[in-house]
Amino acid sequence: MKTKADSFPTVTVIARNLSSEQLHLIAEQMVATGIRSMEVSLVGDHACEDIRSLCNEFEGQLLIGAGTVLSLEDAKRSVDAGASFLLSPVQFGADVIDYAHECGVLAIPSGLTPTEIYKQLSLGADIIKVFPAARMTPAYLKDLRAPLGDFPIMVVGGINAQNIQSYLDAGARYAGLGTGCFRPEDLDALDAAGIRQSLEMLVCYERAQSSL
């Protein structure tokens, strides 16, 4: 049976500690290139305001989610701002996963060991974020899938245009790339052409057919 996760875009740009101007410029270039998913980390003081602004401006064009969701309170303020998915570097409790599903958003907690991953899947997680993925070889994903089956994996942490294909080949369905995929000078100068050029290196990996 087709699930909501099946239509989630392959590539997600993870934005952390960026200005509102930088976020909107990246979002504009994402629309132009066809990269359709952005996570705004809650580490910034204005993260929820940025999520709300991006959701309003790019409704129907991009999926905007919240990252570094650590609690039910974080989940509630993220959903209130319009987040379409909740990502975390840690495991979710049943309360967060249940709340996400009640609100129609994807729950994407982290798991690294088979025990952690099985627990999150048992609680109803939509996608498992394997983090930090680059600390593990792509073969690790194959080892996980041998006993646990073909569960939906999102690799995050050290993933870039040079190594993403090896993780997709090993069974990851999704990948999150931090703003390290952009040249710092392009972000600092708000260089739209430079940001777009970096995004264009990822377009070939965008395989999911999402309904925004």
Side-chain angles (χ1 to χ4, degrees), residues 23-168:
L23 288 172
H24 281 264
L25 182 58
I26 290 171
E28 289 172 353
Q29 299 312 307
M30 289 174 63
V31 170
T33 57
I35 303 296
R36 294 164 289 163
S37 175
M38 176 190 283
E39 171 207 317
V40 178
S41 173
L42 296 184
V43 296
D45 293 335
H46 49 80
C48 285
E49 289 81 359
D50 285 327
I51 291 171
R52 181 173 288 106
S53 177
L54 290 166
C55 288
N56 289 337
E57 183 173 349
F58 297 98
E59 182 178 5
Q61 298 175 288
L62 296 178
L63 290 175
I64 306 297
T68 322
V69 175
L70 303 177
S71 65
L72 181 58
E73 180 183 354
D74 286 346
K76 288 181 176 179
R77 62 194 183 98
S78 299
V79 171
D80 182 66
S84 297
F85 57 92
L86 305 176
L87 263 159
S88 181
V90 300
Q91 298 183 75
F92 282 153
D95 56 346
V96 175
I97 294 176
D98 290 345
Y99 178 75
H101 292 167
E102 288 171 10
C103 297
V105 306
L106 292 174
I108 312 176
S110 282
L112 189 61
T113 69
T115 299
E116 292 170 349
I117 292 167
Y118 180 76
K119 178 181 178 181
Q120 294 298 287
L121 290 173
S122 298
L123 290 175
D126 297 292
I127 298 169
I128 301 296
K129 170 182 168 180
V130 173
F131 172 83
R135 298 294 182 182
M136 318 301 288
T137 66
Y140 182 67
L141 302 187
K142 294 183 178 180
D143 292 340
L144 288 173
R145 293 170 67 223
L148 295 177
D150 186 23
F151 64 95
I153 297 172
M154 181 179 191
V155 286
V156 180
I159 305 302
N160 53 47
Q162 288 69 49
N163 64 14
I164 181 175
Q165 187 63 60
S166 62
Y167 286 91
L168 295 176

Side-chain angles (χ1 to χ4, degrees), residues 11-16 18 26 29-30 33 35 37-39 157-164 175-187 191 193-203 205:
V11 175
T12 293
V13 173
I14 298 174
R16 183 180 293 110
L18 295 181
I26 290 171
Q29 299 312 307
M30 289 174 63
T33 57
I35 303 296
S37 175
M38 176 190 283
E39 171 207 317
I159 305 302
N160 53 47
Q162 288 69 49
N163 64 14
I164 181 175
L177 291 85
T179 47
C181 67
F182 303 112
R183 292 182 290 267
E185 58 269 26
D186 292 338
L187 292 173
D191 185 337
I195 290 170
R196 180 168 180 166
Q197 184 178 46
S198 295
L199 289 169
E200 285 173 343
M201 296 176 65
L202 304 173
V203 173
Y205 304 108

